[in-house]
Amino acid sequence: MDSGRRVPGAMARRILVADDSPVNCIVAQRMLHSLGFSSEMATTGLQALERHRKRPYDLILMDSQMAGTNGFEATTRLRAMQRHGAVPLIACTTASSDEQRNACLRAGMDDVCVKPLQPVPLRNLLLLWLPPHTVEEASRRDALTRAELLSLASLFGAGFDDVVLTFRNDTEARLTALRQAAAGSDMPQLRKVAHALAGSCASIAGWRMAGLCRVLELKCQAGQRAGLARLLAEIGKAYCSFNLQLDHVLRCQQLSQANEHSSPTRY
């Protein structure tokens, strides 16, 4: 992965990879290194607990099915440590069934990452769970989003305006549907709308919104009502921020097209 894909502020973050497979650990650590992160490994749940207790990490990638103290037990014990309760815990699992994903969330994990790990999904997951520490870091992350949107805009050309308009109309309708489902405590509908919105956001490089909607879908699936109001508010904020990015890209595209039309024709 080239340096343009590195996560701004990554060098200041410490990540623990907890997995009893040395191959999985090496692959995860190489991917993290390519994104700019430093990482350490633990091969048992007990070792992960001890390492985090001595020097807390910013995020833990936790294999759910380690031998001995598995990821579920390690998560439960880690969450019992009051002062370490806020660390993002991401389940890394080959499990794809709803029941197995639900078990990860009910144990206290924040999100689920399906193996084998892939660079882009891993990067987007880390961007979601490791918010920027500084204004400069946030600005550099915004620049990454704009670069992806500009690439998408160049693919669609003049038709990108229609893509953005369709996205905005669809998203605003779905945000209304989310609020209505939440007000009525309709978890199946909330999950259904969150799933659809996550997909449409990912299609147009709205990765933060897509990630938040995916987490909302997982929480609804697991029947977890705690924190839903905060999550919905975060989705709304992410939409406002992404809209500003879309406005910027549309202005750049309009300026570029205007310059093309005003340039003298050479023969």
Side-chain angles (χ1 to χ4, degrees):
M1 183 173 291
D2 60 55
S3 60
R5 290 289 183 180
R6 288 176 177 259
V7 174
M11 288 300 292
R13 313 298 178 91
R14 297 175 63 250
I15 294 177
L16 178 66
V17 178
D19 198 308
D20 59 0
S21 164
V23 174
N24 290 343
C25 284
I26 291 171
V27 170
Q29 287 191 289
R30 290 292 176 88
M31 284 190 189
L32 289 167
H33 179 74
S34 74
L35 292 167
F37 290 96
S38 62
S39 65
E40 297 176 2
M41 61 180 279
T43 55
T44 68
L46 187 59
Q47 189 178 57
L49 283 167
E50 288 302 315
R51 286 183 179 274
H52 184 68
R53 183 181 290 114
K54 289 178 180 176
R55 190 182 173 198
Y57 292 90
D58 294 294
L59 183 142
I60 299 175
L61 295 174
M62 182 81 77
D63 176 27
S64 59
Q65 298 294 341
M66 287 181 287
T69 303
N70 63 30
F72 297 110
E73 184 181 348
T75 296
T76 300
R77 291 172 62 180
L78 193 147
R79 289 305 187 210
M81 302 178 197
Q82 282 293 103
R83 69 191 186 94
H84 297 327
V87 62
L89 273 167
I90 312 301
C92 290
T93 176
T94 56
S96 58
S97 72
D98 289 351
E99 181 180 348
Q100 290 163 319
R101 290 174 190 245
N102 292 349
C104 292
L105 267 69
R106 287 170 181 158
M109 299 179 189
D110 296 293
D111 205 342
V112 178
C113 187
V114 178
K115 296 177 184 177
L117 297 180
Q118 299 295 329
V120 173
L122 178 61
R123 169 179 169 265
N124 293 333
L125 184 145
L126 296 173
L127 284 168
L128 176 66
W129 289 105
L130 295 172
H133 281 163
T134 65
V135 173
E136 179 187 2
E137 190 180 325
S139 178
R140 289 169 60 198
R141 289 192 182 191
D142 286 345
L144 286 177
T145 301
R146 286 195 296 272
E148 290 194 55
L149 284 172
L150 285 167
S151 176
L152 194 60
S154 67
L155 177 67
F156 283 94
F160 189 62
D161 288 29
D162 291 333
V163 174
V164 172
L165 179 61
T166 302
F167 170 76
R168 284 173 166 166
N169 289 338
D170 180 73
T171 298
E172 286 165 15
R174 293 189 192 278
L175 288 175
T176 298
L178 282 181
R179 289 189 288 269
Q180 291 173 341
S185 299
D186 188 343
M187 297 290 274
Q189 177 66 4
L190 199 56
R191 177 190 175 187
K192 179 180 177 181
V193 178
H195 176 83
L197 189 52
S200 61
C201 290
S203 294
I204 195 173
W207 300 118
R208 179 166 176 75
M209 267 195 82
L212 290 168
C213 289
R214 178 177 47 74
V215 172
L216 176 59
E217 179 188 0
L218 287 172
K219 288 179 75 68
C220 291
Q221 179 179 293
Q224 295 184 326
R225 297 177 183 273
L228 289 185
R230 180 194 58 79
L231 193 50
L232 286 169
E234 285 294 315
I235 291 170
K237 286 170 58 179
Y239 177 57
C240 290
S241 176
F242 188 57
N243 249 332
L244 293 176
Q245 300 279 36
L246 288 170
D247 284 339
H248 174 86
V249 171
L250 287 173
R251 287 195 299 270
C252 288
Q253 189 180 48
Q254 290 163 2
L255 182 60
S256 175
Q257 290 168 354
N259 288 338
E260 287 177 7
H261 290 313
S262 62
S263 298
T265 303
R266 294 185 179 180
Y267 296 95

